[in-house]
Amino acid sequence: MQDVYDDLALEGTELADLVAGLTPGEWAAATPATSWTVRHQVAHLAYVSRLVRLAVSDAGAFAAGAAPLREDFRSGMDARLAEYVAEPVPALLRRWAEERAAAEKGLAALKRRDLVPWPAEPLPASVLAAVALTELFAHGQDIRDGLGRPRALTDRIGHIVFLGTRTRDLAYRTRGLRPPAEPFRFELTAPSGDLWAFGPPDAGQRIAGPARDFCLLVTRRRHRGDLALSAFGTEADQWLDIAQTYVGPPGGGRAPQ
């Protein structure tokens, strides 16, 4: 798989280049997330970049900043988001760029397995980089959907696939459910045509299909009915309805198109 730190920087630069040239009307365009405009999406990414920067550079400041999220994820996130949304667009873009660059530099300076604090639990630095890349992918998809802009995917999404398989149990715990004891097998086709496989080859529960569709599913950016994913086994089929990579409430997801 490609280097997650390089891919994180590339994904951030690509999205930043897209929004840099938007008109005031495009910044105010609605996105699929209820009541969120393009401006809200970028504000959210700037805030997440700040959390990553603090996580890799100042554990005490991170703990203080993440405390509202642990108490009430939704209200804590909304309160911080308002601060970023209120900034003029040039200041918001500058702040996002600075936070993103500092977060990328801090992550790359760590050993891949160094544990870094995060709201749910400490994560290895390389996994947190995959989390940050997944945030860019997910909210970048919202921005592109709101603007009607297509995207060309590369094998950078391999890190999102990895995260989606690693966080299989998160979907159950978020909903107060007990995760299955049996591991799943994932067989997903990369944009390049390579096959990415995770889990025991003889697992009774299996999910297969395009990696692109898997990423859209686990970030809850598309309804499973609109994706070419196949589930073999009752538990695998149930998981396709609840999969998510992120900490916090799952939300309503996307309606079928």
Side-chain angles (χ1 to χ4, degrees):
M1 195 168 288
Q2 299 169 181
D3 184 84
V4 67
Y5 301 120
D6 289 345
D7 285 348
L8 174 61
L10 287 169
E11 190 77 12
T13 298
E14 184 178 283
L15 185 56
D17 288 346
L18 171 65
V19 300
L22 298 183
T23 66
E26 289 171 324
W27 276 96
T31 67
T34 304
S35 76
W36 275 28
T37 64
V38 170
R39 191 190 194 109
H40 287 84
Q41 299 286 351
V42 174
H44 174 83
L45 289 171
Y47 174 53
V48 170
S49 295
R50 178 177 184 272
L51 281 179
V52 175
R53 174 180 64 80
L54 292 177
V56 298
S57 64
D58 190 332
F62 172 82
L69 302 181
R70 293 193 178 100
E71 294 168 6
D72 186 323
F73 187 90
R74 181 68 69 191
S75 64
M77 183 65 74
D78 288 347
R80 293 314 305 267
L81 183 66
E83 172 192 336
Y84 286 78
V85 171
E87 292 198 0
V89 166
L92 175 59
L93 284 173
R94 184 169 57 251
R95 188 171 186 180
W96 180 35
E98 291 171 353
E99 295 286 14
R100 194 174 71 248
E104 292 166 2
K105 183 178 179 180
L107 281 167
L110 298 173
K111 294 180 180 178
R112 291 177 178 270
R113 295 187 179 181
D114 284 350
L115 288 179
V116 181
W118 201 240
E121 61 181 355
L123 297 174
S126 61
V127 175
L128 182 54
V131 169
L133 194 154
T134 302
E135 287 284 316
L136 287 166
F137 171 89
H139 293 279
Q141 186 66 52
D142 288 342
I143 290 169
R144 289 177 172 89
D145 286 343
L147 297 173
R149 303 283 184 91
R151 77 187 307 171
L153 294 177
T154 71
D155 281 8
R156 285 204 298 266
I157 65 171
H159 308 293
I160 303 165
V161 170
F162 157 74
L163 187 67
T165 64
R166 189 184 191 275
T167 56
R168 185 202 71 163
D169 293 355
L170 176 64
Y172 296 98
R173 295 186 178 124
T174 297
R175 294 163 175 80
L177 303 173
R178 179 177 296 178
E182 180 185 358
F184 289 4
R185 172 73 168 178
F186 299 89
E187 297 177 350
L188 303 160
T189 304
S192 65
D194 289 347
L195 178 66
W196 291 330
F198 300 83
D202 59 350
Q205 306 293 318
R206 185 164 59 91
I207 291 168
R212 168 191 178 276
D213 287 12
F214 184 79
C215 293
L216 290 169
L217 179 90
V218 298
T219 56
R220 299 183 67 79
R221 263 51 192 183
R222 292 291 186 273
H223 188 275
R224 65 171 291 186
D226 297 320
L227 303 172
L229 296 171
S230 300
F232 304 87
T234 302
E235 290 174 338
D237 185 71
Q238 179 199 28
W239 186 79
L240 288 184
D241 288 326
I242 64 173
Q244 69 179 76
T245 55
Y246 53 87
V247 177
R254 301 290 186 257
Q257 297 180 354

